[in-house]
Amino acid sequence: MPSDCLSYKETNYFSPLITDYLDQKEELKQFYNRFPSLENFGKQIEEKKSAFSLHNREVLVKALQEQYSNLEISSTVSSNIDSLLQENTFTVTTGHQLNLFTGPLYFLYKIVSAINLSAALKKEYPLYNFVPVYWMATEDHDFEEINFFNLNGKKFQWNSAEAGAGNDAVGNLSTQGLEEVFALFSAEIGGGKNAEFLKDLFKRSYLEHENLTDATRFLANELFKDYGLVIVDGHDKNLKAGFIPYLEKELTQQVSFNNARPVAQKLDELGYGVQVTPREINLFYLDICVRERLIEQEERFYVNETDITWSKEEILKELHENPEKFSPNVMTRPLYQEVILPNLCYIGGGGELAYWFELKEVFKVVNVPFPVLLLRNSVLIETAKQNEKRKKLDISISEIFMKQHELINRKVRKISNIDIDFSSQKEHLVQQFSKMYEIAAQTDKTFLNAVKAQEVKQLKGLENLEKRLLKAQKRKLKDEVSRITGLQNELFPNKSLQERHTNFSEMYLEFGEQLIPALIEQLNPLDIQFKIITLGE
């Protein structure tokens, strides 16, 4: 199982904010607590231990036991849930939307990162227990972001009449209509051991569960139960009851807005931009087919796009009676996670870490420990045949990440039997014109301008000749160009990172049950580099 790696900066697919964070640039240190290293987790453990109560642990375990009541779980998962009652147990958390059939591949990479970091921490700190957690984003309401997955260059989309009828949290959506997706999916993947596993997994997940929350919990559990993954649904009345004091402050003191906005402005001034702009109130109100943001105007609270309204006293009464109806948005969900979980580290993608960087002051004001922030593992998986083809085409790992036109130009120049680089001719031309400038300087300005215009014209002519020669060579070497573009298109579907486009089922068809164990074996979450893995024979 050969593997290679590349720095995130070299891939050219990650923002300056993320690459500077990984380089631990001094100007970014004000936006996070501790950088992810094994030694820093010792301090994080001590800080979280003193801030997380036994009562919170009891509420969490009771909620998890209820959420898992209709699910067959492994002894490892059961043991991990029970261990959360102990003051020496902590979590490592990642979160993700309820994408249909996991969505893009990075769903797997997030969870594998959490599993492997938990194992690494246990090895480093054997007196403590570490539980990998997948936080399901059940309260999101953007159905268009989650209702499809890509397989073999085709889009498999779920058209839910229920989703189109309202603005409900996606976790509540009925799984009706997924029979059609299942039929198309089954026809696409055909037969064989791996295909039958995937069909059975899809059927048991989506056709045998009534809503998207239960379906996604079953799916994630089936894939990762042997590794002790604990799945949390934050849309839970008992869990939200523990968050009421923070929800009150958000409603009445606008804590997120007042403390995250100045930080976001600092990030913007440093040239990183703002990932999420905080609202005055960073909460939604949840009801049947409603998830709309809360607004305060003239000392009254309103649910956007509805007739629902309260006075301050009335909304606080509603909060205490029905906390489950108050839904954190992207700015308050991180705080909710850290309040109800004995969490040490949040693992996310670049976009997620970007909005976490806005929140450190919010955590400080409400006296909740800010977690370690870790960029999830990123992976390019190639088959043995693709690896062999890449080597035959003499394409290095760094070259395969280049923009396609740049890669083709480089390889055509390299394999051509003529020199397509006119740099020496251009340099010679510039030297010749420098002598003419000396002569022109002794006359008048008009002649100097004429010399300059002629130089520009001739350099432009050389550039055009170089482009025409390169184009001619591409035609002559069209077979090689076709093989290069074909390989890169396979590894970078839709000209994007494989992990952001391809569904895990495409990889499972190819590699079967070795896929997840191979990821567990190969990915080290604290080795912060982009990984390239070759699987198969």
Side-chain angles (χ1 to χ4, degrees), residues 246-279:
Y246 304 91
L247 292 170
E248 283 187 347
K249 288 182 179 179
E250 184 64 25
L251 286 168
T252 61
Q253 300 177 29
Q254 300 183 351
V255 172
S256 299
F257 179 74
N258 290 329
N259 293 282
R261 185 177 59 163
V263 177
Q265 289 173 344
K266 283 184 184 178
L267 283 165
D268 195 37
E269 289 166 4
L270 287 170
Y272 295 115
V274 177
Q275 183 72 13
V276 178
T277 301
R279 299 183 182 278

Side-chain angles (χ1 to χ4, degrees), residues 57 111 227 439:
R57 291 181 180 277
I111 293 176
Y227 301 98
I439 297 172

Side-chain angles (χ1 to χ4, degrees), residues 16 58 85 176 207 301 324 392 396:
E58 291 170 344
L85 285 170
Q176 287 184 344
L207 307 190
F301 294 84
E324 73 281 4
K392 282 185 177 179
S396 68

Side-chain angles (χ1 to χ4, degrees), residues 129-223:
N129 304 312
F130 304 93
V131 176
V133 167
Y134 160 45
W135 180 284
M136 295 192 295
T138 57
E139 297 177 55
D140 285 0
H141 63 268
D142 197 337
F143 181 69
E144 301 302 320
E145 286 189 1
I146 66 158
N147 69 339
F148 68 94
F149 62 93
N150 299 301
L151 169 64
N152 298 336
K154 300 175 183 178
K155 186 175 183 178
F156 291 79
Q157 185 166 324
W158 173 25
N159 298 309
S160 170
E162 181 183 349
N167 195 26
D168 203 355
V170 293
N172 296 335
L173 293 178
S174 166
T175 51
Q176 287 184 344
L178 281 166
E179 298 87 353
E180 296 177 12
V181 178
F182 175 66
L184 293 170
F185 175 64
S186 299
E188 175 68 23
I189 64 177
K193 179 183 176 182
N194 295 344
E196 293 304 321
F197 169 84
L198 291 169
K199 285 186 277 189
D200 180 66
L201 180 60
F202 190 106
K203 182 179 178 181
R204 289 193 295 147
S205 299
Y206 295 102
L207 307 190
E208 296 178 10
H209 290 90
E210 294 184 356
N211 60 57
L212 194 56
T213 293
D214 291 344
T216 305
R217 183 188 291 111
F218 178 87
L219 174 60
N221 183 65
E222 283 298 296
L223 291 175

Side-chain angles (χ1 to χ4, degrees), residues 239-364:
L239 292 178
K240 285 190 177 176
F243 195 51
I244 287 175
Y246 304 91
L247 292 170
E248 283 187 347
K249 288 182 179 179
E250 184 64 25
L251 286 168
T252 61
Q253 300 177 29
Q254 300 183 351
V255 172
S256 299
F257 179 74
N258 290 329
N259 293 282
R261 185 177 59 163
V263 177
Q265 289 173 344
K266 283 184 184 178
L267 283 165
D268 195 37
E269 289 166 4
L270 287 170
Y272 295 115
V274 177
Q275 183 72 13
V276 178
T277 301
R279 299 183 182 278
E280 285 81 0
I281 297 176
N282 291 279
L283 299 172
F284 290 93
Y285 186 75
L286 275 178
D287 210 338
I288 300 172
C289 293
V290 173
R291 187 180 187 253
E292 288 287 352
R293 61 191 179 93
L294 287 163
I295 303 168
E296 182 186 10
Q297 292 178 347
E298 298 178 353
E299 298 185 354
R300 288 198 67 81
F301 294 84
Y302 300 85
V303 178
N304 191 44
E305 303 292 339
T306 75
D307 297 326
I308 304 171
T309 179
W310 305 272
S311 67
K312 178 180 175 181
E313 292 73 21
E314 288 168 340
I315 197 171
L316 292 178
K317 183 174 182 290
E318 173 74 358
L319 171 61
H320 281 265
E321 292 178 352
N322 300 294
E324 73 281 4
K325 291 188 175 182
F326 291 79
S327 177
N329 76 354
V330 67
M331 297 301 291
T332 44
R333 185 172 60 234
L335 180 62
Y336 179 36
Q337 291 174 189
E338 298 304 312
V339 166
I340 68 171
L341 294 173
N343 196 50
L344 302 175
C345 177
Y346 184 78
I347 298 173
E352 290 174 279
L353 265 55
Y355 65 72
W356 274 88
F357 287 139
E358 300 177 29
L359 297 174
K360 184 182 174 186
E361 288 303 310
V362 177
F363 278 71
K364 183 178 179 180

Side-chain angles (χ1 to χ4, degrees), residues 389-396 399 411 414-415:
K389 185 186 294 186
R390 180 175 57 79
K391 289 179 178 178
K392 282 185 177 179
L393 290 168
D394 194 25
I395 301 174
S396 68
E399 286 176 332
K411 303 317 289 184
K414 189 171 183 179
I415 61 181

Side-chain angles (χ1 to χ4, degrees), residues 43-60:
K43 298 173 186 175
Q44 194 73 25
I45 288 169
E46 293 304 316
E47 186 177 5
K48 190 68 180 185
K49 184 195 292 186
S50 62
F52 202 77
S53 69
L54 177 60
H55 173 71
N56 283 7
R57 291 181 180 277
E58 291 170 344
V59 171
L60 174 62

Side-chain angles (χ1 to χ4, degrees), residues 485-503:
T485 55
L487 176 62
Q488 194 180 51
N489 289 342
E490 288 175 10
L491 295 174
F492 294 81
N494 207 29
K495 291 185 169 54
S496 69
L497 287 177
Q498 179 192 76
E499 63 181 31
R500 298 178 187 172
H501 183 85
T502 303
N503 182 254

